[in-house]
Amino acid sequence: MSAQIQSKRLACLLSLIAVSVNIASCTAGHTEIGKVSLVGAGASFPEPLYQQWLLDYNQQNPNVKINYQAIGSSAGVQQLIQGTVDFAASDVAITAEQAANIKRGVIALPITAGSIVLAYNLSNVPSGLKLPRQVYTDIFLGKITNWNNPKIAVANPGINLPDLPIKVVHRTDGSGTTSVLTRHLNAISPEWKNKVGAGKSIEWPVGIGANGNAGVTAQIQQLPGAIGYVEYSYANRNKLRVAALENKSGNYITPTPESTAKTLEAIKLPAKNLIGFNPNPAGTQSYPIVTYTWLLTYRQYEDSVKAQELKNFVNWVLIKGQKSSLELGYIPLSKEVVVQVQAAANQIAQ
């Protein structure tokens, strides 16, 4: 074979390789088109449900990647204010003062609901220990310090309460869960209101601190005699014993999806911002500590693709994602609330 023919063949081969590379490059570039990443952060209260939603949504929409970090409601709202996330989550939505610091505006979307339970670690005491309002307030005040206290015993005849110190476990991070609990304590106890007050972060009279709902759950599991507050889903998944709390009607109510739903029926969400909460519900069968949890978005997005994908995700959650709520221990939104949230989400613009 002549050198001239070999040279032509080599040139032809190199040309084919170059074409192949160009085609591969174009194909790879085309594949990347349409991929969207969204980042959110905030409340640990709904985090198990969020993770399930994100997993299911990504399987159905592989070009959309949504990451959510449970860093507490306070930190999530702060990141939204700073513009370092695409959305946030908070169990107490957002205050007017905080919203005023967000130049792009903010929309609060109630996305699911649940109860805050008092979980305890008493090996010989079954779930459903009755705690009167004054008793659980005094436990958090540090005034009742042992499980065989007469005030606990009188509400639970027939139960052999241990002679064991009560170890209160509370949140250390800025927490919407803490805010919901302490707003309830404010509503039922003038002493608590005057001495401690309500907020995402408070000075606890007694107790051991832990980070997030997961951290409080872990501490309760590890400490005999512990009692702490967590979202129902965490207690349910980790098989923690939970107390039946005295409600406004004087009935002892165990936290269940049914008793939580009873409370939600009485919470009306105002059309102007969809933010509503009742710290002391009156229903005879209502569990007393229940809240919606909110997904917070900007009203105006600089990236039109992100804005549209976030609206798509919210709509998917409202239509298809609600079935996961009940499975994980949360409460699906009513049809009325779904319609309200859809209308609010449609205001997201770019």
Side-chain angles (χ1 to χ4, degrees), residues 120-311:
Y120 52 87
N121 183 344
L122 296 173
S123 59
N124 295 319
V125 178
S127 198
L129 182 71
K130 295 178 180 178
L131 293 181
R133 317 190 110 190
Q134 190 62 56
V135 166
Y136 62 82
T137 303
D138 282 350
I139 287 174
F140 287 123
L141 283 169
K143 296 172 68 175
I144 292 178
T145 59
N146 201 287
W147 281 108
N148 65 357
N149 185 285
K151 291 183 179 180
I152 303 177
V154 73
N156 296 277
I159 293 181
N160 185 23
L161 295 167
D163 182 8
L164 189 66
I166 295 174
K167 300 173 183 177
V168 173
V169 184
H170 59 75
R171 293 280 289 273
T172 54
D173 53 321
S175 159
T177 306
T178 298
S179 181
V180 171
L181 172 71
T182 55
R183 287 163 71 187
H184 168 70
L185 295 176
N186 259 14
I188 68 171
S189 170
E191 182 180 7
W192 179 274
K193 185 175 182 179
N194 292 331
K195 289 184 177 180
V196 185
K200 294 179 183 177
S201 298
I202 64 166
E203 290 293 330
W204 286 92
V206 293
I208 303 163
N211 189 65
N213 273 274
V216 173
T217 299
Q219 285 281 16
I220 295 170
Q221 288 176 310
Q222 295 166 15
L223 296 173
I227 185 170
Y229 58 98
V230 295
E231 196 280 324
Y232 172 82
S233 171
Y234 288 83
N236 189 47
R237 287 188 299 122
N238 290 281
K239 296 179 170 53
L240 296 180
R241 295 171 172 85
V242 297
L245 301 184
E246 182 186 11
N247 68 11
K248 191 174 184 178
S249 298
N251 297 323
Y252 290 93
I253 306 298
T254 301
T256 63
E258 291 76 20
S259 61
T260 299
K262 287 287 185 184
T263 306
L264 286 177
E265 290 174 2
I267 300 177
K268 300 302 179 183
L269 299 175
K272 64 177 182 178
N273 59 15
L274 300 188
I275 299 173
F277 174 67
N278 187 340
N280 191 19
T284 59
Q285 298 304 310
S286 294
Y287 182 75
I289 316 176
V290 172
T291 184
Y292 284 101
T293 184
W294 286 262
L295 188 151
L296 307 174
T297 76
Y298 295 109
R299 188 172 292 276
Q300 189 82 28
Y301 282 82
E302 298 172 356
D303 187 324
S304 61
V305 175
K306 282 191 174 184
Q308 186 58 54
E309 288 299 346
L310 189 55
K311 289 167 74 171

Side-chain angles (χ1 to χ4, degrees), residues 1-14:
M1 183 180 295
S2 70
Q4 185 177 8
I5 293 175
Q6 286 182 331
S7 178
K8 286 183 178 180
R9 285 187 174 181
L10 179 59
C12 183
L13 179 61
L14 290 174

Side-chain angles (χ1 to χ4, degrees), residues 5-41:
I5 293 175
Q6 286 182 331
S7 178
K8 286 183 178 180
R9 285 187 174 181
L10 179 59
C12 183
L13 179 61
L14 290 174
S15 178
L16 288 172
I17 292 173
V19 170
S20 298
V21 169
N22 285 336
I23 291 174
S25 299
C26 291
T27 303
H30 179 73
T31 302
E32 293 301 318
I33 294 173
K35 284 196 172 182
V36 181
S37 293
L38 297 169
V39 177

